[in-house]
Amino acid sequence: MGFFRNKHRYPLKYWIKRSAVFSLCIVSILVIDSLYKDQARFWLNTAIGFLGFFSIIIFNLILHIHFEVKDPVKSPIKVKVIGFVLTFSISLAMLALSAYLGMLTHEECRIIRGSSLNFLLLSGFRAAILNFIVLLWLYFLMTDYFKNQLELERSKLDKLKERAVNQMLRQQVQPHFLFNALSSLKSLIKKDSAMAESYLLQLSDYLRGSFMTSEDGLATVKQELDLCEGYLSMQKIRFKEAIRYDIQVSEAVYNNLLPIFSLQPLVDNALKHNLYTTEKPLHICIREESGWIIVSNNVCLRKTSVEDNNNYGLNNLKERFSYYLKDSVIIREDGPAFEVRVKIISA
C-alpha cells in the first residue's frame, strides 16, 4: 500500500500528537456550554466529539500520506472526494451514537424524526463543516513541516556550497602558490641551505594548516592568523625588504571564529594586485579593532587589469560571511590605502 510505503517520509507520530491536542481543544470549545448544564453530559459529549474529530483527522492524514499529498488545499479531486466520504461516514456514525445515547438536542431530534433524508442531510452538513476544519488543520500542520524541511535543505545546500567555495579557493591559490614556493626553494637550496630548510618547514606548516576543515566551516582567529603569518613569512623570504607586514591582534580574540580561509586570500590579493620593490615596499597590516579584523595595505596597482578578479574574490568573501553574520565585510578604498574589515564571530 502507498501509505506503508510513504509513511517513513512523514513525521506521523508527531502529527498524531499535535492532532490529538488540537482535537481536544476544538471539541472542548464546541461543548463547553454543557459544562454548566450537566457535568456527565459534558464529559460524554467531549468523549464522543473527541473520538469522532480525532478519527477524521487520522483517516485524512493516512489518505494524504497514501497519495503523497503535501498541500491538502491543492490535493487532487479524488483525494478531496474520498476525504469527504470518510468524514461523512464518521459523522454519520457519531450522529447515530449520539442519538442512541440520547445526546442530541431537541431540534436535532425533530429533524431526524422527519425522515431518513433529513438524517443524511444533517450528517452531510456536519461532515462539510468538520471536513473544512480538518483540511485547514492539515494544511497548517503539513505545510509547516514541509516549509521547515525546505529551510533545512536550503541550509544544508548553503553549507555544501560554502565547502565547495572553500575547496575552490584552495585549488585556485595552491597551484600558483606552490609553483612560486618551489621555485623559491630551488633558488634557496643553491644559495643558502639553512634558509632553504627553514623555508621548507614553513611551507610544510602552511600547507598543513591550509587543508584544515570543520563541520561548520569555521576556524579560530588564531588558526587564521597562523596561516597568514606562515604565508607572509615565506613571501618575506622570497621578496625580502620589498614586503613588510605587521600583525596586531589581541590574544583575547584568538578563540573567536572566522570562516575558514578568509584572511589569507586578502593578503594574497594585496601581493597579487600591487607592485612592490625594496625602494617602495608593500606594507601589509593585520589588526583587531572593536570586534573586527582589519587587513590593510598601501596601494600601487599593477598596470594589468586585475580589478575584476579582485572584486570577484571580495564578493565571494562577502557571500561566505553572510552565512554567519549580516554586514560582516566592509571594504574601504581611500586613495593610497586599501582596507578590508571582517567581523569576528563570537565563539
Side-chain angles (χ1 to χ4, degrees), residues 27 49 58 69 92-93 103 114 121 181 189 206 209 212 282 297 313 322 340:
V27 172
I58 296 304
V69 175
L92 202 64
M103 304 295 296
L121 288 174
I189 289 172
Y206 170 79
M212 61 182 171
L282 177 68
N297 62 271
S322 68
V340 179

Side-chain angles (χ1 to χ4, degrees), residues 44-45 47-52 89-104 112 119 123 126:
L44 190 57
N45 258 329
I48 294 173
F50 172 78
L51 289 174
S89 301
I90 295 172
S91 297
L92 202 64
M94 288 172 62
L95 197 60
L97 181 60
S98 296
Y100 176 76
L101 295 174
M103 304 295 296
L104 298 178
I112 290 173
F119 179 72
S123 297
R126 283 189 168 188

Side-chain angles (χ1 to χ4, degrees), residues 20-73:
V21 175
F22 177 71
S23 301
L24 186 60
C25 292
I26 291 293
V27 172
S28 298
I29 292 171
L30 291 176
V31 297
I32 195 70
D33 61 319
S34 299
L35 180 63
Y36 304 100
K37 299 175 183 178
D38 184 348
Q39 190 73 9
R41 182 185 177 89
F42 168 77
W43 291 113
L44 190 57
N45 258 329
T46 301
I48 294 173
F50 172 78
L51 289 174
F53 193 71
F54 186 57
S55 298
I56 292 171
I57 292 177
I58 296 304
F59 279 114
N60 273 275
L61 266 177
I62 293 172
L63 177 67
H64 284 76
I65 292 174
H66 176 80
F67 287 101
E68 298 185 78
V69 175
K70 294 184 178 181
D71 185 348
V73 175

Side-chain angles (χ1 to χ4, degrees), residues 258 262-263 265-267 269-270 284-289 292-297 310-311 313-315 317-318 321 328-334 337-343:
L258 290 170
S262 55
L263 295 184
L266 296 177
V267 172
N269 276 341
I284 298 175
C285 179
I286 303 174
R287 67 185 192 278
E288 176 254 334
E289 182 181 294
W292 295 78
I293 296 291
I294 304 167
V295 180
S296 60
N297 62 271
N310 191 30
N311 289 337
L314 293 173
N315 289 334
L317 185 66
K318 285 183 178 180
F321 265 88
S328 50
V329 178
I330 299 175
I331 301 167
R332 293 179 179 175
E333 296 184 64
D334 185 18
F338 182 82
E339 175 181 290
V340 179
R341 294 170 173 250
V342 295
K343 186 71 174 176

